[in-house]
Amino acid sequence: MRNRKEALVRSILLENYESYYRLAFSYVHQEADAMDIVQEGACKAMAKARSLREERFAGTWIYRIMINTAKDYLKRYEKEREILREDMIASPEQGEVDPELQEALDRLSVQEKTLIILRFYEDKPLSEIAEILQENLSTVKSRLYRTLDKLRRELT
């Protein structure tokens, strides 16, 4: 029989699958790779469900696992990903992304890209981003401001 934490994690994973997929896709730009990341992240979350300290933070805890899984994936497969990446990247819900914007996003650090993804692709409020990234709200605000300024300069 499953314990309560495992059932909660399973429920959140099923409820937010599409959101986790979009998150992973925004890192790797490949459908199959994004699905692999979500599957791997879900397996990690289920395996570690009993170690969840506070059930009320389960959602942000799982997002953190998905982000870390995506970052790990990028580290492991960076060379292969560069070879396979297309010039025009299609976002699963928003149509095609401007190639110039995509190039500017690709030049961002993983931390900067994570902020942009959570805020604008996942439409997360700043307070939740702060929880996910385990940072102060003011830190998230200032980093997002600097990242957006950097993107503006790159695009002009």
Side-chain angles (χ1 to χ4, degrees):
M1 182 172 163
R2 294 176 205 204
N3 75 22
R4 201 167 89 207
K5 289 180 182 178
E6 289 174 337
L8 174 64
V9 168
R10 184 176 194 277
S11 171
I12 292 171
L13 285 167
L14 291 172
E15 184 178 307
N16 296 296
Y17 175 84
E18 289 180 25
S19 181
Y20 301 137
Y21 171 79
R22 284 191 310 270
L23 174 73
F25 187 88
S26 64
Y27 276 93
V28 295
H29 313 297
Q30 298 287 331
E31 186 176 326
D33 293 342
M35 291 169 64
D36 288 346
I37 289 169
V38 173
Q39 182 177 0
E40 185 179 337
C43 288
K44 287 179 182 179
M46 287 302 297
K48 296 178 182 183
R50 292 177 188 230
S51 69
L52 177 62
R53 292 184 191 161
E54 292 193 45
E55 292 179 16
R56 64 188 173 127
F57 297 122
T60 56
W61 179 76
I62 293 170
Y63 254 101
R64 187 83 214 142
I65 289 172
M66 292 296 175
I67 289 169
N68 288 337
T69 302
K71 288 178 181 179
D72 291 345
Y73 186 92
L74 286 176
K75 288 176 191 171
R76 287 192 311 254
Y77 298 104
E78 186 63 33
K79 287 184 183 181
E80 292 91 340
R81 194 176 71 82
E82 287 298 321
I83 294 168
L84 296 175
R85 187 166 46 200
E86 303 168 2
D87 292 337
M88 296 279 287
I89 310 292
S91 175
E93 290 195 352
Q94 298 174 350
E96 299 215 352
V97 175
D98 179 357
E100 190 176 336
L101 174 59
Q102 187 60 52
E103 286 177 24
L105 288 171
D106 287 343
R107 286 191 294 269
L108 294 176
S109 72
V110 173
Q111 292 173 332
E112 293 168 330
K113 188 183 275 191
T114 298
L115 276 173
I116 297 296
I117 291 166
L118 289 173
R119 183 68 179 125
F120 299 104
Y121 287 81
E122 294 298 317
D123 200 29
K124 297 286 182 194
L126 293 173
S127 58
E128 189 172 348
I129 294 171
E131 286 180 39
I132 291 169
L133 299 178
Q134 298 173 340
E135 295 180 353
N136 290 327
L137 180 59
S138 58
T139 302
V140 169
K141 287 179 181 178
S142 63
R143 282 183 48 219
L144 182 60
Y145 175 80
R146 284 193 307 269
T147 301
L148 289 172
D149 188 52
K150 182 178 179 179
L151 270 177
R152 276 187 212 103
R153 283 184 276 126
E154 293 250 351
L155 294 171
T156 56

